[in-house]
Each structure stands twice: as C-alpha cells, then as structure tokens.
Amino acid sequence: QVQLVESGGESVQAGGSLRLSCAGSGYPPSDYCMGWFRQAPGMEREGVAAIDDDGSTRYADSVKGRFTVSKDNAKNTLYLQMNNLKPEDTAMYYCAADASFYGGYCSSRETYEYHYRGQGTQVIVSS
C-alpha cells in the first residue's frame, strides 16, 4: 500500500525559504514518478515540480529558479526546497507519485494526475 506523508509547511514572510518533505512507503522509489502540485483556495491545481524515475526534473514556469525538487531513494523521501517565496506561492502543497509504466510515462502527465497523493501541507507566504 502506497503512502505519502508531507511535512514542512508553515507560515513565512515573502523572500523566505522552506523545505517540504514527503516520506513515502510501499513502493520502490527508483521506479516511480514523483512530484509536487499545489492548490490555492478557489484556484485550479498547479503542477509545481516533478522528478522522474530517471532523475530528470521539470518545473512550472512560476517556480523555475526558486524551487528545487530532489529525492533520496535510500530514505524514500521527496523534497521541495522553496526559496524566495512569494505571496502567490500560498497554497496547500501535495506530494504525488505514480508507477512509471513505460519510458516517457512520467513526463506525459502532470503531477496532479499521478495515482497516489498525500494529505497535503499548508504553505502561507505573507507580504
């Protein structure tokens, strides 16, 4: 049974940094697509960052240069380092994972389309 548990969300001032973590279990991380998406109240879900089974990464334009996604397969933990946070980054952040069924599977989907997701961790950025 796949389980994902996020942590690290909190309230920060604009310009600050946070690191989100996602502890996973029940799956082999080296064979899975993983990533983060976020949703603010009244807004559509937005894919934020992804790291594919081959280690390649992808980012939303809105976070490029500020956010970095990484994973530690040995610890089965996914991270999202967020720097220079802006008020528009305020949202619930979700960790997501999905099995990589074939080459290119991960990059063919948005992170919010992945099969498994956690309960989310709240990030609030004040100006």
Side-chain angles (χ1 to χ4, degrees), residues 5-54:
V5 180
E6 303 95 336
S7 62
E10 61 181 77
S11 296
V12 295
Q13 294 218 324
S17 297
L18 284 175
R19 188 174 84 155
L20 306 183
S21 299
C22 172
S25 61
Y27 65 95
S30 59
D31 296 336
Y32 268 58
C33 324
M34 299 198 70
W36 297 89
F37 68 93
R38 64 188 180 186
Q39 188 165 25
M43 303 292 286
E44 296 289 323
R45 293 170 301 179
E46 178 187 22
V48 174
I51 183 164
D52 297 346
D53 54 333
D54 63 0

Side-chain angles (χ1 to χ4, degrees), residues 33-90:
C33 324
M34 299 198 70
W36 297 89
F37 68 93
R38 64 188 180 186
Q39 188 165 25
M43 303 292 286
E44 296 289 323
R45 293 170 301 179
E46 178 187 22
V48 174
I51 183 164
D52 297 346
D53 54 333
D54 63 0
S56 58
T57 57
R58 290 172 284 118
Y59 297 92
D61 288 343
S62 58
V63 307
K64 278 181 182 176
R66 300 189 297 122
F67 290 12
T68 303
V69 62
S70 62
K71 64 176 181 175
D72 184 331
N73 285 344
K75 295 181 179 179
N76 203 348
T77 302
L78 179 73
Y79 302 99
L80 184 67
Q81 177 66 43
M82 305 187 294
N83 298 327
N84 190 22
L85 283 160
K86 303 176 180 180
E88 52 264 42
D89 294 319
T90 294

